[in-house]
Amino acid sequence: MEIIGWFGSLDEMYEHRKFLQRLREKFGLNLIIPESSLWHTSGFKPSPSVEAMNPLKDWRLQPGLLEHLRRHHLPAEAFPVLPGILAGAEDERLIALLKACKGAGIDVWGHFGLWSYGGELFPEYALRDVSGHLPRKTFEKWGFGFCPSSPELMNWLEACLDDILNRYEIDGLFLDHARYPPPANFDSLFGCADTHCLKMAEDEGIRLNHIPTPGEVEKALRSTKPRKVVEYLESSPDFISFLSYLIPDAPVSDWFEARCLILARQMEKLRFVASRIRGSSFPFGSDIFPPSISYVAGHDIGRLSQALNYVTGGFGPVVGWETAALFTASSWTREICSCVDGLDEWKTLESAYRWLGLEGIKLPKACEAIEKGIGLPSFDLLAIEFRRVSKNWGRRIRFYGPLSLRYASESLERLISIINEEGIKGLIFSGIDPKDSKQHNMLHQALSIGSS
């Protein structure tokens, strides 16, 4: 494998930087991606000129700050989860870590986030539907996004990127949150449709005369006879087709194509900055949604392959590859059933599973079970997504599999075997403990067996 990486805590990596050489020798670690839990970047410190451009610099004054921190399970001293690099971080730990890794032969990819979270703090830059509405608070746990086409925000993000690439000797870049909110946030599927995004789509040749809104979908569901809704559920091959049945005069497929195009074009602009400073081979990528939901969530791998030279996946319940599709199916089912009297939840959920290509494994039969984490076949879901990478995405872009170390050694070995069978180029782990020699031995064994 060309990459065996660790996405983890900046503080933990710094405190145990003397262990990094041992991790390289023990199981081949050759990359770290540090992230501060307080700053949500690798510990970058923006220059004063870049901070002066920051349209979000008044984040401490926003009335929803405490609620935002609570929702993201953050302490009061933490920065909010926002795009770009906010002033106030200290970079001594990152600089020391860069020095330690250079001596150990381990690359460091810098990290900061983009559009997926924090839009509720700055509604003037937030993702909206074509009627100008923000997503309902019902979906707040999935994150409120920013408009990816805001010129002011994009100019600042480009300046952040230029700044860190000229001042820090990082070996690559991992742009997190380079996405719309997860499609479990039903309302966010119909944004961003502000004037900036619509102009960008039109400039690319996509004319959107009728863009559906969550309210229009709800009205269509409530006004359609239940038996007809059931017919649409059963005959639709995917979610986009289902929406097209409900709202036949709206070019739904064009809308989802436009969302993918907008994200890819903005990533191309950022890639241009990185290539100008560090060259075209400089590792520049992001985590994206798993194949089951990637396109409907705004990630078209064909277009992204023109903007990025690698992709990986996310971790955790919101975007983790073991759970993101299940939460999407549950959220869509809840939304549909809430609008249609007498609709069977299991039958609706079954259709959502089929749309996402999740047949063939034992799946929860109720939304409540998914939301409470009961009976989730995490291993099987991750295996499905890994196998679909090569089938759906081919070899158009390097992909590094995201793998949490919460799995037992046998499961880990099986997942690594699948990754190798599918020709996946590497792994990025979460949950590495730099002091745990038993874990390191287990990783050495899993990588050896899984790669044989």
Side-chain angles (χ1 to χ4, degrees), residues 280-294:
S280 60
S281 62
F282 181 76
F284 182 91
S286 177
D287 66 312
I288 66 173
F289 289 108
S292 59
I293 59 171
S294 57

Side-chain angles (χ1 to χ4, degrees), residues 6-14 33-37 97:
W6 173 22
F7 179 82
S9 162
L10 168 67
D11 291 337
E12 188 172 29
M13 291 174 178
Y14 168 79
I33 307 170
E35 179 190 38
S36 165
S37 60
L97 195 55

Side-chain angles (χ1 to χ4, degrees), residues 78-342:
F79 287 19
V81 187
L82 293 174
I85 301 168
L86 305 177
E90 297 297 332
D91 59 6
E92 290 86 354
R93 294 194 165 198
L94 173 60
I95 292 169
L97 195 55
L98 287 167
K99 183 178 179 181
C101 286
K102 194 171 291 293
I106 296 173
D107 285 348
V108 181
W109 289 355
H111 164 276
F112 70 90
L114 297 181
W115 305 288
S116 194
Y117 301 109
E120 75 278 13
L121 295 181
F122 291 90
E124 65 271 34
Y125 297 109
L127 174 148
R128 296 175 180 272
D129 67 23
V130 74
S131 298
H133 297 141
L134 298 171
R136 286 168 285 175
K137 286 183 70 65
T138 309
F139 303 108
E140 65 185 9
K141 64 182 176 181
W142 307 114
F144 286 128
F146 279 80
C147 167
S149 301
S150 164
E152 187 178 4
L153 191 60
M154 192 64 183
N155 289 342
W156 174 63
L157 291 172
E158 290 177 356
C160 287
L161 184 55
D162 185 294
D163 189 37
I164 65 168
L165 291 178
N166 277 300
R167 294 196 299 114
Y168 295 94
E169 288 300 317
I170 53 176
D171 304 294
L173 198 70
F174 173 63
L175 291 178
D176 202 359
H177 311 158
R179 55 183 181 250
Y180 298 107
N185 182 332
F186 185 85
D187 286 3
S188 77
L189 291 166
F190 304 94
C192 184
D194 69 1
T195 55
H196 298 305
C197 288
L198 295 186
K199 183 179 186 309
M200 193 169 190
E202 186 171 332
D203 289 346
E204 295 291 337
I206 301 178
R207 295 191 175 275
L208 298 165
N209 298 320
H210 180 177
I211 302 169
T213 65
E216 188 175 6
V217 174
E218 179 182 350
K219 182 179 178 181
L221 284 167
R222 293 188 183 281
S223 61
T224 303
K225 294 184 183 300
R227 60 176 178 77
K228 200 66 178 175
V229 174
V230 171
E231 181 183 319
Y232 293 161
L233 287 167
E234 293 177 349
S235 61
S236 300
D238 52 45
F239 178 68
I240 293 174
S241 299
F242 176 71
L243 291 179
S244 298
Y245 279 131
L246 281 175
I247 313 173
D249 60 336
V252 177
S253 59
D254 288 348
W255 165 242
F256 282 94
E257 181 185 359
R259 279 166 41 98
C260 290
L261 184 149
I262 288 167
L263 282 190
R265 287 288 182 264
Q266 298 302 68
M267 295 305 287
E268 283 180 23
K269 293 176 184 177
L270 295 171
R271 170 74 181 279
F272 178 80
V273 174
S275 297
R276 172 173 52 80
I277 298 169
R278 294 296 187 89
S280 60
S281 62
F282 181 76
F284 182 91
S286 177
D287 66 312
I288 66 173
F289 289 108
S292 59
I293 59 171
S294 57
Y295 185 83
V296 75
H299 285 152
D300 179 341
I301 201 67
R303 288 193 169 102
L304 286 176
S305 66
Q306 305 300 309
L308 310 173
N309 55 17
Y310 80 87
V311 293
T312 183
F315 296 103
V318 175
V319 296
W321 277 35
E322 303 101 322
T323 53
L326 283 184
F327 285 127
T328 296
S330 172
S331 180
W332 291 354
T333 297
R334 290 279 200 198
E335 187 66 18
I336 294 167
C337 288
S338 71
C339 298
V340 183
D341 291 338

